[in-house]
Amino acid sequence: ADQVVRGLMDFAAPKNLELKRMNINEVIEQSLVLAKHSFDKSHTQVVKQLGADLPLIEIDSSKLKQVFINLFMNAIDAMEEGGSLTISSQLKRLSKKNFMEEPQLEASFKVDETIVAVEVDDTGPGIPPNILPKLFTPFVTTKSAGKGTGLGLSVTRTIIRMHKGIISIKNRAEGGAMVSIL
């Protein structure tokens, strides 16, 4: 019950961001350390492909740690027999093609803008096609009863939006899911 109440509070009234100029890789590394026990326990191999020399960006590190930990735990839960989680960061220059493929970019970015992109890929079974469009809806979950509240991705999207970013999730052609944060 405590977990559900805290999730509802985060969803209903997210606190203001405490922004600080940081390198996103620092937050990713700190999140990986916090999740290390869960990775080890679940036999999940972590592959890091973190871009070098990323610019400092205005972020709330504690909120983004919450985002990354939630994404890592979702991946671990999806890969019941263990697997591989790849987290990457890079600079990405947005082209007209990007905007044609992802119209939601227009709300936050401009063509030819260079942004920081983070991807979290897993080797799980992927997300059922009927659930994929509803993933960010509160109380929608792919987890069995008692294993999740269905609030994690709703809160995650709220945090990313507070940072004026975009999050998307899709199934990878080779299997598993890919979360993209811009």
Side-chain angles (χ1 to χ4, degrees):
D2 182 54
Q3 182 182 15
V4 172
V5 170
R6 272 192 267 129
L8 282 170
M9 288 172 54
D10 279 342
F11 177 71
K15 297 176 180 60
N16 291 333
L17 297 177
E18 295 180 25
L19 298 174
K20 181 178 174 186
R21 292 184 62 74
M22 292 185 72
N23 185 311
I24 194 71
N25 289 342
E26 290 178 46
V27 180
I28 292 169
E29 292 282 8
Q30 292 166 4
S31 302
L32 289 168
V33 167
L34 292 171
K36 183 176 181 348
H37 175 72
S38 296
F39 290 132
D40 292 345
K41 184 177 169 187
S42 65
H43 307 289
T44 300
Q45 175 191 4
V46 176
V47 178
K48 295 187 289 185
Q49 299 173 341
L50 304 180
D53 301 325
L54 295 181
L56 301 180
I57 55 176
E58 294 276 333
I59 55 178
D60 182 323
S61 64
S62 65
K63 292 260 190 249
L64 286 182
K65 282 182 209 167
Q66 181 180 352
V67 164
F68 291 129
I69 299 271
N70 182 58
L71 296 176
F72 298 163
M73 294 302 114
N74 284 351
I76 287 170
D77 288 346
M79 299 183 293
E80 293 176 358
E81 305 293 319
S84 178
L85 180 133
T86 302
I87 184 158
S88 61
S89 63
Q90 64 181 348
L91 282 179
K92 181 176 184 175
R93 185 173 201 96
L94 296 175
S95 68
K96 287 182 182 179
K97 181 181 177 196
N98 296 125
F99 283 79
M100 289 170 49
E101 292 171 354
E102 295 185 57
Q104 74 269 23
L105 290 173
E106 286 185 33
S108 300
F109 304 109
K110 297 178 182 109
V111 173
D112 291 330
E113 187 173 10
T114 300
I115 61 168
V116 174
V118 176
E119 289 183 356
V120 179
D121 300 350
D122 69 54
T123 58
I127 300 159
N130 63 320
I131 299 289
L132 201 53
K134 301 183 264 183
L135 272 180
F136 296 109
T137 305
F139 305 110
V140 170
T141 183
T142 59
K143 298 177 184 178
S144 58
K147 201 147 194 220
T149 63
L151 291 172
L153 288 175
S154 298
V155 172
T156 292
R157 182 174 64 176
T158 298
I159 291 169
I160 297 301
R161 284 181 171 171
M162 289 172 68
H163 282 85
K164 298 185 179 19
I166 294 172
I167 183 170
S168 61
I169 302 175
K170 63 183 178 184
N171 287 320
R172 300 177 335 130
E174 60 274 18
M178 178 181 78
V179 179
S180 176
I181 299 172
L182 307 175

